[in-house]
């Protein structure tokens, strides 16, 4: 009887998901339990730095430079740091770069970039105003070092309690948090 209810509940959730157009993913999580996730937004990690007097990047990726390019890096514990290392991997190692600062938070790396200390990969949603005002400029004008990302909400297939289930249902029904 419980299995039949679970299948019916999953079917309702899947139907609600289809109605919103959200993409739903299922996978085995680190706990070994089956998990489900839904994409609730997108962003991009964009390499940026301070600009010179003419608004050009002080440091540029992908072109020959007169020396090492300073990189402002996320710590190994940072989720964004894991993403940048996984996606860029050896690509940065092939360029003339060196790490000058390591931090856990994007806001710290943003401040260091504005101060002209190097290139940082920052969420576009965080730096849109900085780009528009010229406080920051893209360090890879062709976008070849941009990292598209998805913002995902994860949950276990184990019932989450009344409030948790209500929240998940609302996300599926409205297409966002």
């Amino acid at each position: 009887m419980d299995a039949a209810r679970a299948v019916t509940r999953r079917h309702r959730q899947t139907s609600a998901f289809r109605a919103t157009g959200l993409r739903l993913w299922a996978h085995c999580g680190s706990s070994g339990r089956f998990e489900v996730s839904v994409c609730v937004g997108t962003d991009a990690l964009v390499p940026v730095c301070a600009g010179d007097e003419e608004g050009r990047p002080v440091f540029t990726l992908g072109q020959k430079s007169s020396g090492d390019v300073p990189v402002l890096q996320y710590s190994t514990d940072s989720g964004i740091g894991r993403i940048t290392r996984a996606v860029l991997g050896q690509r940065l190692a092939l360029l003339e770069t060196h790490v000058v600062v390591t931090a856990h938070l994007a806001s710290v790396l943003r401040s260091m970039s504005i101060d002209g200390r190097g290139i940082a990969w920052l969420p576009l949603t965080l730096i849109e105003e900085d780009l528009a005002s010229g406080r920051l400029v893209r360090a890879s004008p062709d976008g070849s070092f941009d990292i598209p990302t998805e913002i995902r909400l994860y949950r276990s297939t184990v019932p989450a309690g009344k409030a948790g289930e209500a929240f998940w249902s609302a996300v599926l029904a409205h297409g966002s948090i």
Side-chain angles (χ1 to χ4, degrees):
M1 188 65 143
D2 286 337
R5 270 190 237 138
V7 168
T8 301
R9 193 175 100 233
R10 280 192 203 111
H11 175 70
R12 277 197 310 264
Q13 289 176 342
T14 303
S15 297
F17 152 73
R18 285 188 190 124
T20 64
L22 293 173
R23 289 184 292 169
L24 191 66
W25 296 77
H27 57 90
C28 185
S30 59
S31 66
R33 291 185 176 164
F34 194 63
E35 295 177 341
V36 176
S37 70
V38 64
C39 180
V40 294
T42 59
D43 205 341
L45 299 173
V46 180
V48 294
C49 64
D52 64 14
E53 300 81 34
E54 283 122 33
R56 294 180 306 228
V58 173
F59 309 106
T60 305
L61 292 168
Q63 297 178 353
K64 288 286 183 189
S65 62
S66 58
D68 285 346
V69 175
V71 172
L72 309 172
Q73 180 175 285
Y74 292 93
S75 66
T76 56
D77 293 335
S78 165
I80 295 176
R82 289 190 297 272
I83 292 168
T84 56
R85 278 186 279 290
V87 173
L88 296 174
Q90 294 298 315
R91 193 167 172 205
L92 274 184
L94 298 174
L95 299 175
E96 295 178 11
T97 64
H98 69 281
V99 176
V100 292
V101 173
T102 301
H104 190 72
L105 300 173
S107 58
V108 172
L109 298 181
R110 176 186 164 271
S111 296
M112 303 291 260
S113 291
I114 290 170
D115 286 345
R117 299 194 186 188
I119 296 173
W121 273 259
L122 298 171
L124 187 56
T125 54
L126 175 69
I127 59 166
E128 286 173 324
E129 286 182 23
D130 296 319
L131 289 170
S133 71
R135 282 188 300 270
L136 289 172
V137 295
R138 289 176 173 261
S140 175
D142 66 358
S144 62
F145 285 87
D146 292 5
I147 303 171
T149 59
E150 290 185 339
I151 302 161
R152 302 190 75 75
L153 181 62
Y154 287 85
R155 67 152 302 159
S156 171
T157 55
V158 175
K162 191 174 184 176
E165 293 298 327
F167 178 74
W168 184 255
S169 294
V171 168
L172 292 177
H174 295 14
S176 65
I177 299 176

